[in-house]
Amino acid sequence: MTQTTHNDAIRNVAIIAHVDHGKTTLVDAMFKQGGIFRANQEVDDRVMDSMDLERERGITIAAKNCAVSWQGTKINIIDTPGHADFGGEVERSLTMADGAILLVDASEGPLPQTRFVLKKTLEAGLKVIVVINKIDRPDARIDEVLDEVYDLFIDLEANDEQLEFPVLYAVGRDGVAMNSPEEEQKDLTPLFEVILSEVPGPVYDPEQPFQMLVADLSYSDYLGRLAVGRVFHGTIHSNDQLACIGADNNPRSLRVSKIQTYQGLKLAEASEASPGDIVVISGIEDVKIGDTICTKEAPKALKRINVDEPTVSMRFSINSSPLAGTEGKHVQSSKIRERLTRETMLNVAIRVEDSDERDSFIVKGRGEFQMAILVEQMRREGFELTIGRPEVIFKEIDGVLSEPMEKLFIDCDDVFMGIVTEKLSARKGRMTNLVNNGTGRVRMEFTIPSRGLIGYRDEFLTDTKGTGIMNSLFDGYEEYRGEFPTRHTGSLVCDRSGQSVAYALFNLEPRGEIFIDAGIPVYEGMIIGEHNRDNDLDVNPCKGKKLTNVRASGKDDAVTLTPVRPMTLERAIHFITEDECVEVTPESIRLRKNILSGQNRHRLAGRKKKAAENQ
């Protein structure tokens, strides 16, 4: 019988929560009180959000590791994303942890992503510590939120042991945690003490040879490919001769050139690593997330990391517009393929397949937001590409066409309830719950096809005058609910190449909303605005004013254009229909038709109409 033991010198803890409930701010405070920074050292807020996109958007996109020391015990902290589109990051992070700190906002309570991350944590069998954060908010409802947390645990079928979770109350921004809301606010000592007492040290078998599960990959210009993961059994030393077991179960030889462990935010070189520690090792070139690194003498694979199936696909292809190659560094399909392949190595939730068209690829992931983040990263790296509209991935289950469904949670003023319900029912949404506490705001729950939410978020904010809150959660596959219109307006399509002129744009404004300013290069097939009606309209934005010798009062008034809303990547992705795409470059985001030639578009439309009449 195998004898397992605990490594009590280490604790591995993941911090999980819904978006904007204060995970990264709490980690900042743990750093300051764990002695990572000097007392007088100036430190940026949200120091764990190291990516530019994370800082700009105020969210965590990629899971990150760090470590603090408390009373001689090393605490490895894994900061995870709160958005369900980045669920793959959460799933791989939990393989390194023995416990989790569930952060819940004292006013908002558990939200859809709280449910998502907690479900994954309970499935992994981790010890959960509940921290009710932001208790200093004027609208905090601490007792009700705690009841909601208990209801959530019961709803997710937590066992008796998991229901006996410790509860702390915190103000992460001020770096304080208490065992009860009335307690004096001092520091995070209660949180550190609960981590040491409640989260078990990593379990390992002293008789087993070395085994490590690769949960993350990184790259160093000096050391090459880096494998990040947790040591499950045994000890590793520098220059050890080991083996790597991939998905094919065939061991490949490797030699560890360097071992590093986390100390604060930085990596420190180590001569060896003990069981349970999270380490970074170099010397392995051919390694993927989910691989096992073990001894050559007794190669034995650990269970691979399983992630949920992708639900959304998007076409990525080269930029084929007349302006291609004028603004970006990387324009070839081989460069795009190489970049997408690199993404699949670092992100377990992304998959890339070749499409039936030359120079284009099908990228599959968890949601349109995840896709938008990938495209934004690529354009900042100098890529030019064309992307299509996100499409949900259908499945045939028991001979029935099925589609991914979302559980949608809406919080808005009660005066907007009618318009929200009307719009969602048109998109095949069904209301499952309605709560009206008489406070002027209502909470509604719907089940809706994932495709029904593509393009709806911007509409929702407009309909609720920016006051509505909308969250969704993947809810499995259901029978296909039928067709519905994705957009009730057409496009204003440029009919020639040239430069836009203020006079022409001013006269086009009654036709709909214009997307471009004067003096912008345009080409045939480029979409320059949204038509008021449901059909596309070919327009000439390059037409100047005819000059004559006649002078009259009022003839030469200055043209004043309506200010243009900046075209963001998400807005562009939501706007386009099936026959349109988005041209993305480091400097511009342009909308265009898949077929640029107006003559060819009209010919194709005529054929489709004729075919429909003959049916």
Side-chain angles (χ1 to χ4, degrees), residues 436-498:
N436 189 344
N437 295 321
T439 58
R441 287 184 77 84
V442 293
R443 279 197 172 194
M444 297 181 281
E445 291 180 24
F446 294 82
T447 63
I448 185 169
S450 298
R451 61 196 167 96
L453 292 181
I454 296 173
Y456 176 66
R457 294 175 196 277
D458 296 336
E459 234 177 281
F460 172 75
L461 285 174
T462 305
D463 291 341
T464 60
K465 295 184 167 51
T467 62
I469 300 168
M470 182 171 101
N471 291 289
S472 61
L473 182 67
F474 176 62
D475 195 34
Y477 276 77
E478 277 185 30
E479 189 176 339
Y480 180 67
R481 288 193 182 174
E483 291 293 329
F484 55 82
T486 53
R487 202 173 89 204
H488 297 282
T489 55
S491 302
L492 297 175
V493 187
C494 183
D495 66 356
R496 68 197 65 202
S497 295

Side-chain angles (χ1 to χ4, degrees), residues 35-312:
I36 300 302
F37 305 124
R38 297 189 313 274
N40 62 346
Q41 187 174 345
E42 282 191 22
V43 184
D44 291 334
D45 289 339
R46 302 197 336 269
V47 69
M48 288 291 280
D49 284 346
S50 52
M51 293 166 57
D52 289 342
L53 273 173
E54 290 178 322
R55 290 192 165 279
E56 288 168 22
R57 293 169 183 260
I59 60 169
T60 302
I61 292 170
K64 299 175 196 68
N65 299 62
C66 56
V68 298
S69 186
W70 185 262
Q71 296 177 354
T73 303
K74 181 179 182 181
I75 302 173
N76 286 313
I77 301 169
I78 307 141
D79 185 16
T80 65
H83 201 289
D85 278 18
F86 306 108
E89 296 287 309
V90 177
E91 284 155 338
R92 69 170 179 76
S93 302
L94 294 179
T95 62
M96 295 187 275
D98 297 296
I101 298 171
L102 175 68
L103 224 59
V104 183
D105 189 293
S107 169
E108 294 178 358
L111 290 175
Q113 265 73 329
T114 316
R115 169 183 284 270
F116 172 79
V117 292
L118 180 59
K119 182 171 180 277
K120 296 292 178 191
T121 306
L122 294 176
E123 285 172 358
L126 304 185
K127 178 71 180 178
V128 180
I129 299 166
V130 172
V131 177
I132 296 179
N133 194 26
K134 305 185 185 181
I135 62 167
D136 59 333
R137 284 182 61 159
D139 56 350
R141 40 188 198 94
I142 299 168
D143 294 334
E144 295 100 306
V145 166
L146 183 56
D147 288 341
E148 288 172 13
V149 172
Y150 274 110
D151 290 342
L152 180 59
F153 270 77
I154 293 165
D155 195 27
L156 293 175
E157 299 177 353
N159 59 38
D160 292 345
E161 189 183 339
Q162 288 169 330
L163 278 169
E164 293 293 322
F165 53 80
V167 182
L168 293 174
Y169 304 87
V171 183
R173 187 188 56 209
D174 298 342
V176 294
M178 298 82 68
N179 291 305
S180 71
E182 299 78 28
E183 207 174 281
E184 187 186 351
Q185 298 184 4
K186 290 182 179 176
D187 54 21
L188 288 176
T189 300
L191 177 60
F192 285 117
E193 287 175 348
V194 168
I195 291 172
L196 296 191
S197 63
E198 295 290 335
V199 177
V203 176
Y204 69 99
D205 185 348
E207 303 297 321
Q208 289 281 346
F210 173 76
Q211 277 182 306
M212 167 186 155
L213 184 66
V214 179
D216 196 6
L217 297 175
S218 187
Y219 187 83
S220 162
D221 291 337
Y222 302 102
L223 302 170
R225 178 69 54 80
L226 303 175
V228 183
R230 170 179 162 170
V231 179
F232 275 78
H233 304 289
T235 307
I236 184 175
H237 302 86
S238 294
N239 298 318
D240 275 359
Q241 295 288 339
L242 299 173
C244 177
I245 303 175
D248 56 3
N249 278 330
N250 291 326
R252 301 183 300 277
S253 296
L254 63 97
R255 186 176 71 83
V256 178
S257 58
K258 193 172 187 180
I259 302 170
Q260 294 170 294
T261 58
Y262 287 95
Q263 286 186 7
L265 281 167
K266 297 179 180 173
L267 288 169
E269 190 170 351
S271 57
E272 65 173 40
S274 56
D277 206 354
I278 294 172
V279 298
V280 181
I281 62 175
S282 52
I284 320 161
E285 282 308 311
D286 185 17
V287 63
K288 292 183 172 63
I289 291 173
D291 289 359
T292 300
I293 297 171
C294 53
T295 59
K296 287 176 77 173
E297 296 75 30
K300 185 180 175 185
L302 292 161
K303 185 183 175 187
R304 290 188 73 81
I305 297 170
N306 290 321
V307 297
D308 290 341
E309 291 289 311
T311 56
V312 171

Side-chain angles (χ1 to χ4, degrees), residues 31 154 162 191 229 296 353 433 534 588:
F31 279 156
I154 293 165
Q162 288 169 330
L191 177 60
K296 287 176 77 173
E353 299 171 3
N433 194 19
D534 60 0
S588 311

